[in-house]
Amino acid sequence: MAEKDVTILGIETSCDETAASVVTNGRQIRSSVVASQTKLHEKYGGVVPELASRAHVEKILPIVEQAIAQADVTPDEIDAVAIANQPGLTISLMVGVTAAKTLAFAWDKPLIAVNHVHAHLQSALIESESVELPAVALIVSGGHSNLYDAESVLDLRLLGKTIDDAAGEAFDKVATILGLPYPGGPNIEKIAREGNPKAIRFPRSLMDKDSLDFSFSGLKTAVLYHCQGQDMKGENRVASMSHQEIADIAASFQAAVIDVLVKKTHRAAKKIGAKSVLMGGGVACNGALREAMEAMCQKENLAFISAPKSLCTDNAVMVASLAYYKYQAGQFADLTLEPKATSD
Ligand code: KG4
Ligand code: ZN
């Protein structure tokens, strides 16, 4: 007998996107609605938690209603409500957690809590039929740069993480230094296409020989010194730089980040004898990173599976999809669920 379909409503509010999605059996995307707050935070050059939280409050119900309408399902047909309750901005997470608990209670459905960073990894797995194990997973976003030994999406062992800035955070901060609009990542990638990645040799922090941790703050400071002089007393030269000069700095910075991400992923793959490399998170949108990782994997005979660009940045498909595996494993939360700023 065919197994019963499982349809899950996923909700995501961990940072500055309010998102809801309905996914059946972990893979069939019935709807995906994302309300981005980019415009709201643009003039501050970064996410302002109080504004983010207030915008989530305004958007959460319309976005959930839209996701349900687009999926053409009734609450009766939904088997569980899933929420990313960690990590993230507590006052943003709180809005989604409250909405998910309320809906689960009102509809009398089970509640499933997922880890937002693990959900980013699930984005890479939605379209792939099978993964040859062991697998190394690189999750690179605005808040995280994590390497995992991925036994399955419910069984992740952290191998390394950033000791200071996350990769996406470095992109965003360097974009601010270069006077590029928020969010920095896509804008650096765009202008970097016109620049020479070898124009400036920015430092690549690989740390100890065996380290799988990341550090990007030295690179960010190197870009700052390059733009303002070693003593930081000099004029900020960016305003008087040519478009080409800025493009060269962006391309050289991006090349340094990519070099480190690829080298560390390779190091991790060797350490655990990996057969596959998985990649997800907002920075995984970056075309030059995708190409460099793919080239390394081909050379090293590793299968490479990246999240599709459409699912790299924050969305609720990844939440509803990961929740399906928790549903199958009987891993449910209860109405005492709280938001949590850090990962368990
Ligand atoms: O995963 P995500 O949407 O949110 C977090 O969980 O943090 O990632 C957002 C981050 C931002 O720092 C953004 O600048 C970066 O991903 N990003 C990129 C690109 N698109 C988004 N970084 C580099 N290149 C891109 N094309
Ligand atoms: Zn994210």
Side-chain angles (χ1 to χ4, degrees):
M1 201 174 76
E3 278 193 36
K4 182 189 164 298
D5 282 344
V6 176
T7 296
I8 296 180
L9 168 69
I11 296 175
E12 157 63 42
T13 62
S14 67
C15 188
D16 60 342
E17 260 94 28
T18 318
S21 164
V22 177
V23 177
T24 297
N25 297 338
R27 285 170 184 264
Q28 194 193 333
I29 303 171
R30 311 274 297 271
S31 66
S32 174
V33 186
V34 181
S36 168
Q37 303 175 3
T38 302
K39 283 267 162 294
L40 189 64
H41 303 291
E42 204 171 22
K43 62 174 175 289
Y44 304 103
V47 177
V48 182
E50 288 77 10
L51 294 182
S53 170
R54 203 180 312 152
H56 285 309
V57 171
E58 280 167 19
K59 285 276 161 51
I60 188 75
L61 286 182
I63 293 296
V64 166
E65 277 169 1
Q66 226 176 304
I68 291 173
Q70 272 179 23
D72 200 16
V73 290
T74 61
D76 264 2
E77 294 166 88
I78 290 171
D79 296 291
V81 180
I83 176 68
N85 76 314
Q86 62 170 290
L89 301 169
T90 311
I91 59 172
S92 288
L93 291 164
M94 176 69 88
V95 179
V97 168
T98 306
K101 289 202 292 195
T102 307
L103 291 173
F105 178 72
W107 294 342
D108 195 19
K109 305 286 178 187
L111 178 70
I112 301 174
V114 308
N115 179 304
H116 173 90
V117 185
H118 299 179
H120 271 302
L121 169 60
Q122 179 57 23
S123 296
L125 300 171
I126 287 174
E127 291 179 355
S128 67
E129 282 310 315
S130 65
V131 177
E132 243 195 304
L133 296 172
V136 162
L138 173 71
I139 304 302
V140 265
S141 68
H144 295 84
S145 304
N146 289 358
L147 273 168
Y148 296 97
D149 177 352
E151 194 55 51
S152 83
V153 77
L154 296 185
D155 189 3
L156 301 174
R157 186 168 63 91
L158 190 65
L159 297 170
K161 61 179 182 348
T162 183
I163 60 158
D164 41 55
D165 293 347
E169 197 178 352
F171 267 94
D172 295 337
K173 287 178 176 167
V174 166
T176 304
I177 296 170
L178 296 179
L180 300 172
Y182 171 84
N187 289 305
I188 291 216
E189 177 175 21
K190 193 161 158 231
I191 195 168
R193 284 193 208 109
E194 301 165 56
N196 173 7
K198 294 194 172 133
I200 306 135
R201 177 77 194 170
F202 286 126
R204 275 94 167 130
S205 170
L206 294 172
M207 325 221 336
D208 291 346
K209 188 166 68 54
D210 298 322
S211 170
L212 295 175
D213 288 330
F214 297 101
S215 167
F216 291 110
S217 77
L219 171 59
K220 174 194 65 189
T221 309
V223 175
L224 192 65
Y225 283 162
H226 183 86
C227 295
Q228 302 194 356
Q230 282 294 338
D231 56 4
M232 301 280 295
K233 284 188 186 140
E235 293 264 296
N236 185 347
R237 297 193 307 111
V238 174
S240 57
M241 278 181 194
S242 68
H243 182 82
Q244 191 57 50
E245 258 180 291
I246 294 176
D248 284 347
I249 297 171
S252 301
F253 158 77
Q254 182 176 275
V257 175
I258 292 174
D259 236 17
V260 171
L261 292 176
V262 171
K263 283 206 172 97
K264 292 268 166 144
T265 305
H266 179 212
R267 202 181 262 184
K270 277 213 306 222
K271 182 169 177 180
I272 66 160
K275 295 207 165 63
S276 312
V277 168
L278 312 172
M279 187 168 79
V283 182
C285 275
N286 188 285
L289 170 62
R290 296 167 85 91
E291 275 168 30
M293 198 64 83
E294 170 99 63
M296 181 279 283
C297 287
Q298 252 178 25
K299 186 158 164 267
E300 301 297 325
N301 210 12
L302 295 160
F304 176 51
I305 306 168
S306 179
K309 282 191 183 183
S310 58
L311 294 179
C312 281
T313 48
D314 288 349
N315 63 84
V317 172
M318 63 188 196
V319 174
S321 178
L322 175 54
Y324 170 72
Y325 298 93
K326 290 198 137 185
Y327 183 98
Q328 299 292 21
Q331 296 178 10
F332 298 106
D334 62 37
L335 296 178
T336 62
L337 184 73
E338 295 282 355
K340 204 165 163 283
T342 52
S343 270
D344 276 336

